[in-house]
Amino acid sequence: MFEFIGFVLVIVIGWVILKGVFSGATKGHMLRSIDHANTLGVPYDFAKKMIQNREVMKTSVAHMAKLNSDFRAKDVYVQYGEAISMLYQGYLMEKEKEK
């Protein structure tokens, strides 16, 4: 009985540790993507809003990969940063059309 409880406890602790590691890696990746987008001239608030919308980001990265065959060879945070930059340029163009 104690062996079973120990086994379950080890699994739970392992799960919590792995979940924390993956969560931290994801958050770090998002921050690097936002920082790269900032270096391309995108405001922080816009970049943060876009990176949180996973469907828009997946679609944007896939679209940019179709346009440029070397795009997939770049680091993932660079891909996401450039996708955010493309979305921001589209946002600015829409604002110009409204005027």
Side-chain angles (χ1 to χ4, degrees):
M1 182 66 176
F2 288 119
E3 293 169 350
F4 179 73
I5 292 171
F7 183 69
V8 170
L9 186 63
V10 168
I11 290 175
V12 169
I13 291 172
W15 175 256
V16 169
I17 290 171
L18 282 175
K19 186 177 171 186
V21 167
F22 286 125
S23 175
T26 302
K27 187 176 266 188
H29 169 75
M30 288 172 56
L31 289 173
R32 286 181 75 186
S33 298
I34 291 171
D35 184 51
H36 183 69
N38 285 132
T39 61
L40 297 174
V42 179
Y44 177 82
D45 293 334
F46 183 86
K48 185 176 179 184
K49 182 179 161 186
M50 286 295 112
I51 198 82
Q52 291 174 347
N53 191 340
R54 291 186 186 265
E55 287 302 315
V56 170
M57 291 305 301
K58 284 181 184 178
T59 305
S60 300
V61 169
H63 178 68
M64 291 186 76
K66 287 179 186 175
L67 296 176
N68 184 1
S69 60
D70 295 332
F71 186 73
R72 288 282 184 199
K74 297 178 182 179
D75 287 335
V76 176
Y77 78 93
V78 174
Q79 292 178 16
Y80 275 75
E82 290 181 8
I84 293 169
S85 177
M86 179 190 73
L87 291 169
Y88 184 65
Q89 290 171 1
Y91 170 75
L92 292 177
M93 291 172 78
E94 286 295 318
K95 280 181 72 173
E96 285 294 319
K97 286 181 182 178
E98 289 177 1
K99 290 182 180 181

